[in-house]
């Protein structure tokens, strides 16, 4: 039996995102989510998480969306005080500033009254050369699993680091179909533990005006709550878990 985590990214982005993720958990196949502590919907997300303790909630570390929680990280922000793009981040971000900001985001998560199940990151920034050592340091400090950012089972193999055997980012964009999700699920049966990333949401003003990936999230929500998908997972003998069980 494959143990499968279906994680919804961007918890805390907005109320529409939060409620879409919660719907995908209550009436669908999502088992886990990760919260962006720097975004406007963070407190609303924390309230929902406390009301639904069976939902695994980790930390979605952010360096490329919104504004930082720290005020003294000039290499991370543009002239408007917002995070730089991923490409700019790789060029000019100072490791000291990265560590200061990510540590603050972890502390902010705890201040919301939640206990994190794991770490991952927005736009997979924890795969960047400057960011990865800092995230691994935080993972060891707080004894938290970390999302792999590759389907290669050899990636991020570390005896001191907990993670799944593989990670599937394919349920995104053109891959958001029922057939596409079933194809990913079938690939997951070849390993003991796997994670599938998703981004379900109800569309609201903040999402439509702030994200380049908005409309497909409603389609993701419909597929992830489709009874046919839930039944198919059951018949395949897949065990849905969260990072609490990793």
């Amino acid at each position: 039996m494959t143990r499968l985590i279906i994680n919804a990214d961007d918890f805390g982005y907005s109320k529409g995102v939060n409620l879409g993720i919660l719907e995908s958990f209550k009436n669908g196949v999502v088992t886990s989510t990760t919260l962006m502590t720097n975004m406007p919907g963070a407190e609303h997300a924390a309230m929902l998480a406390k009301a639904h303790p069976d939902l695994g909630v980790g930390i979605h570390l952010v360096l490329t969306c919104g504004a930082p929680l720290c005020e003294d990280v000039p290499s991370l922000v543009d002239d408007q005080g917002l995070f730089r793009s991923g490409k700019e981040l790789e060029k000019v971000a100072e490791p000291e500033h990265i560590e200061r900001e990510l540590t603050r985001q972890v502390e902010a998560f705890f201040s919301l009254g939640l206990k994190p199940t794991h770490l991952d990151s927005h736009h997979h920034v924890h795969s960047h050369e400057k960011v990865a050592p800092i995230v691994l340091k935080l993972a060891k400090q707080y004894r938290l699993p970390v999302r792999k950012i590759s389907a290669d089972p050899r990636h991020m193999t570390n005896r001191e680091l907990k993670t799944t055997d593989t990670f599937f980012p394919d349920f995104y964009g053109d891959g958001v179909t029922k057939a596409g999700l079933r194809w990913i699920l079938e690939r997951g049966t070849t390993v003991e533990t796997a994670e599938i990333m998703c981004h379900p949401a109800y569309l609201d003003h903040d999402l439509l005006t702030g994200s380049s990936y908005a409309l497909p999230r409603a389609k993701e929500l419909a597929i992830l709550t489709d009874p046919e998908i839930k039944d198919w997972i059951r018949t395949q003998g897949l065990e849905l878990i969260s990072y609490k069980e990793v």
Side-chain angles (χ1 to χ4, degrees), residues 1-204:
M1 175 179 284
T2 296
R3 305 171 79 212
L4 177 67
I5 297 166
I6 301 181
N7 188 91
D9 289 14
D10 300 351
F11 203 39
Y13 187 98
S14 70
K15 286 188 175 180
V17 173
N18 297 345
L19 293 172
I21 290 172
L22 186 65
E23 177 70 13
S24 298
F25 165 69
K26 291 174 64 178
N27 296 304
V29 295
V30 164
T31 58
S32 173
T33 188
T34 35
L35 194 155
M36 310 168 83
T37 58
N38 72 314
M39 296 301 285
E43 290 190 5
H44 178 250
M47 179 188 70
L48 296 177
K50 291 172 186 175
H52 299 86
D54 290 339
L55 174 64
V57 184
I59 306 173
H60 202 49
L61 298 169
V62 183
L63 292 173
T64 57
C65 181
L69 296 179
C70 293
E71 297 181 357
D72 53 347
V73 286
S75 71
L76 305 185
V77 298
D78 59 19
D79 294 340
Q80 298 179 327
L82 300 176
F83 279 124
R84 301 178 186 273
S85 68
K87 290 183 179 180
E88 291 179 313
L89 180 76
E90 291 187 74
K91 292 179 181 178
V92 303
E94 297 180 12
E96 178 186 353
H97 294 166
I98 295 172
E99 183 165 1
R100 188 180 303 156
E101 174 60 23
L102 296 187
T103 301
R104 180 70 187 88
Q105 291 182 21
V106 172
E107 292 171 348
F109 187 96
F110 281 102
S111 73
L112 290 170
L114 300 173
K115 182 179 179 180
T117 55
H118 67 294
L119 300 173
D120 62 22
S121 65
H122 197 57
H123 297 149
H124 306 306
V125 293
H126 70 289
S127 67
H128 291 190
E129 185 177 354
K130 292 180 181 179
V131 183
I134 295 165
V135 173
L136 296 182
K137 178 181 177 181
L138 289 170
K140 292 177 181 177
Q141 178 181 345
Y142 291 95
R143 297 182 180 179
L144 295 173
V146 180
R147 167 185 283 174
K148 295 170 73 76
I149 46 85
S150 170
D152 185 343
R154 297 169 296 177
H155 179 264
M156 204 181 285
T157 300
N158 186 319
R159 291 181 180 178
E160 299 179 42
L161 183 67
K162 293 181 179 180
T163 189
T164 57
D165 294 323
T166 195
F167 167 67
F168 297 112
D170 314 81
F171 189 65
Y172 187 86
D174 292 340
V176 179
T177 64
K178 283 202 291 186
L181 181 55
R182 286 182 57 165
W183 176 73
I184 297 166
L185 291 166
E186 288 170 354
R187 290 168 64 199
T189 60
T190 62
V191 294
E192 184 177 341
T193 58
E195 179 190 356
I196 296 173
M197 175 187 75
C198 60
H199 299 81
Y202 288 114
L203 303 181
D204 61 10

Side-chain angles (χ1 to χ4, degrees), residues 24 171 173-178 199-203 213-226:
S24 298
F171 189 65
D174 292 340
V176 179
T177 64
K178 283 202 291 186
H199 299 81
Y202 288 114
L203 303 181
Y213 188 74
L215 293 178
R217 295 181 191 240
K219 187 177 181 181
E220 288 197 27
L221 174 58
I223 294 170
L224 292 165
T225 55
D226 190 317

